[in-house]
Amino acid sequence: MNIRITTANAYETAIGNLQQRQQDLQLTQDRLTSGKRVQRASDDPTAAARAERALAASARSQADQRGLEAARSAMQQTEAALGSASEAMQQVRELLVAAGNGSYTDAERANLGARIRTLRDQVFAIANRGDGADGYLFGSQGAAQPPFVDGSSGVVFRGVGGQAVVQGGELLPMTQDGGAAFLRARSGNGVFVTSPAAGNGNGAWIDPGAVTDPSALTGADYTLQFSVAAGVTTYSVLMNGAPTAMAGLPYVSGQAIQFDGMSVTVKGVPANGDAFDLTPSTPTLSVFDVLDRVVGELQAGGRSTAQVAQTVSSGLRDIDATAGQLQLHRAMAGESLNRIDAVESRLKEKDLQAQTERSLAEDLDMVQALSEFQAKQTGYQAALNTYSMVQRLSLFEYL
């Protein structure tokens, strides 16, 4: 059977093929120009979906990165603020040591107290330092106003304990718990607190004490009572107000008194009826209360050598405790910065992975695309040449 192909049909088919080749060549050229293999979802729905997921992952990583930078800025400021507070406390310590000089007059000690008051105000300003973004470095879980208030009864914290954090893939801190940093150091030596009883004379003082046997500690309240009879001074130990076996023992100034895993030293000349209390330590020591007490005692005139020594001993103990608490929170801020650095590395890796995935899904292989373009260009030129040659082959060309 013979098939007839008309000249018009042949021309139409050839032109259709030329147009298709031209479209393919144009598409390849567009891809080369944009560098994208997938420019719209219809080009490759599966690859387009992969690229969209990768784009979303990259956007999340970049958003987390912005939150991370905010946290880093806050923690850097916090670490610097706590460093400044620690330096101020060190200056206070040096002034208090100087106040123990027996040759100083009341006026000289009062002057040292005034200088400590200035440093105390500096520490208070640091505690209320802003973060530059309408917040406070030590505002705990957020505060619209300065978190510390200096009232007639002392400094109080009006924030909510804890830390404000960046909401995102990583919970990074934006603030420090100001109440814990400035108001909740452990009192005394960290285990128990020594203090003179109210109404004591002005001839003796007690040191901060130390733990000699942690396993023997009872956690009870103790009292050292002194008696003076016929020029002989003795002491007795009471436990929770009740007498113990340690009663009527001879007192020697500067000699350690040890019982139930604790050791304390009383110096000076106790008066009859003098007492010193030993109570369990609690996390309630405020840096501002310590400084206020030291300032008040240094500026009080007419105090004995023993009373000044008690001020210096107790003051140094409490200043070291509160400064140690500030250093602890400074170390926590430093640890947060280390963690932020580690999180940043992970976020950058995730972002790079997402961008790589997106590139694999939609970017063009330039070498392959150039080869394909050249092949299609050659094919298109060949088609044009053959079409022009065939078009000239007609009866009219011979007539």
Side-chain angles (χ1 to χ4, degrees), residues 165-395:
V165 298
V166 175
Q167 297 299 324
E170 299 281 351
L171 298 180
L172 301 174
M174 288 290 293
T175 63
Q176 278 267 12
D177 189 339
F182 290 90
L183 306 182
R184 291 202 290 273
R186 290 201 67 83
S187 58
N189 57 25
V191 178
F192 61 91
V193 184
T194 60
S195 59
N200 272 13
N202 57 9
W205 60 279
I206 189 170
D207 74 348
V211 175
T212 57
D213 184 2
S215 63
L217 296 173
T218 65
D221 293 337
Y222 293 89
T223 301
L224 298 178
Q225 284 189 339
F226 289 84
S227 299
V228 180
V232 177
T233 303
T234 59
Y235 70 89
S236 301
V237 178
L238 305 182
M239 179 178 178
N240 292 329
T244 66
M246 297 182 67
L249 300 176
Y251 163 73
V252 178
S253 177
Q255 185 177 83
I257 299 173
Q258 298 185 2
F259 53 91
D260 292 347
M262 298 180 293
S263 174
V264 297
T265 301
V266 177
K267 294 182 180 180
V269 182
N272 185 49
D274 277 0
F276 295 92
D277 297 322
L278 283 74
T279 56
S281 174
T282 58
T284 56
L285 190 62
S286 163
V287 62
F288 304 108
D289 289 347
V290 170
L291 297 178
D292 288 341
R293 186 186 75 240
V294 168
V295 169
E297 292 178 359
L298 289 180
Q299 293 184 333
R303 304 179 77 232
S304 68
T305 300
Q307 289 174 318
V308 172
Q310 185 68 73
T311 293
V312 173
S313 176
S314 299
L316 290 176
R317 174 198 66 192
D318 293 343
I319 286 171
D320 287 344
T322 52
Q325 184 75 351
L326 294 176
Q327 286 288 1
L328 172 63
H329 281 263
R330 186 182 184 185
M332 291 168 60
E335 179 59 31
S336 294
L337 287 172
N338 289 337
R339 180 171 166 240
I340 287 170
D341 289 341
V343 171
E344 182 180 35
S345 297
R346 292 200 298 271
L347 288 178
K348 287 182 176 179
E349 290 176 1
K350 288 171 63 178
D351 188 34
L352 178 60
Q353 182 179 3
Q355 292 182 13
T356 302
E357 177 66 20
R358 183 185 179 189
S359 177
L360 291 173
E362 67 179 14
D363 284 356
L364 188 67
D365 185 336
M366 298 300 291
V367 175
Q368 180 181 357
L370 283 170
S371 176
E372 183 179 351
F373 178 77
Q374 291 174 351
K376 289 184 177 182
Q377 185 182 37
T378 301
Y380 182 57
Q381 289 175 344
L384 285 175
N385 290 336
T386 56
Y387 176 73
S388 64
M389 292 174 62
V390 171
Q391 190 178 34
R392 289 196 298 270
L393 296 178
S394 68
L395 180 61

Side-chain angles (χ1 to χ4, degrees), residues 81 84-85 87-89 91 115-129 182 288 291:
S84 298
E87 290 175 4
M89 294 300 290
Q91 294 179 51
R115 292 169 63 184
I116 292 176
R117 164 64 67 177
T118 300
L119 291 169
R120 182 262 193 203
D121 293 340
Q122 290 181 16
V123 174
F124 181 77
I126 290 171
N128 279 331
R129 183 173 292 180
F182 290 90
F288 304 108
L291 297 178

